[in-house]
Amino acid sequence: MSPFTYIAVALAVISSVIAAPAPVAPEATLEKRITHSGRGTFFNVGLGACGKPNVNSDHIVAISSSIFGSGGNCEQFMEITNTANGKTAFGLVRDSCPGCGAGDIDMSPSLFQSLGASLDQGVMKVSWHFKPKGFHP
């Protein structure tokens, strides 16, 4: 074989190694994000269904009892958007809302106001989704 053939074979081997896909680590999985929509209201917080005391200045969320279930989303952050003005904020799930529909949420007064609504308004349309467990804004 000529030296040119050896160089061509070597380049072919090197390029096939470089072009090979990199292995994906098992923990590098994507979570499907489900965006919910419904009514957003506010309530005066206290000891929530997650067993933690809260104050109105905390960004606290109560989710519908049907989603809350046995509390699997306790201490999980949500990203909430006021669909009327586009403002977003993060809230921490710490309570259930028995009177809420599946997409409805009840928020602490400070969280409600951070979305650009006054307490006199009382209700807003929201969209929201859970952030991955362990997320902190």
Side-chain angles (χ1 to χ4, degrees), residues 5-131:
T5 305
Y6 285 114
I7 293 172
V9 169
L11 288 175
V13 169
I14 291 171
S15 66
S16 68
V17 169
I18 292 172
V24 176
E27 65 273 358
T29 57
L30 294 176
E31 291 186 31
K32 182 177 180 183
R33 182 174 93 180
I34 299 171
T35 300
H36 304 269
S37 60
R39 292 173 1 120
T41 54
F42 75 92
F43 71 115
N44 289 312
V45 301
L47 180 63
C50 294
K52 305 261 177 137
N54 307 291
V55 294
N56 284 339
S57 59
D58 295 335
H59 282 198
I60 301 301
V61 182
I63 57 177
S64 72
S65 298
S66 62
I67 294 176
F68 186 84
S70 60
N73 296 108
C74 284
E75 302 300 313
Q76 189 169 3
F77 278 93
M78 299 167 46
E79 185 172 351
I80 306 158
T81 302
N82 177 341
T83 59
N85 64 19
K87 289 192 176 189
T88 58
F90 296 102
L92 184 62
V93 175
R94 286 266 181 100
D95 207 349
S96 71
C97 178
C100 290
D104 299 342
I105 57 174
D106 218 358
M107 298 172 274
S108 62
S110 62
L111 178 55
F112 189 87
Q113 290 173 314
S114 75
L115 292 168
S118 72
L119 298 182
D120 290 336
Q121 181 180 336
V123 179
M124 70 176 84
K125 289 187 179 192
V126 295
S127 64
W128 59 271
H129 62 272
F130 290 110
K131 299 302 285 180

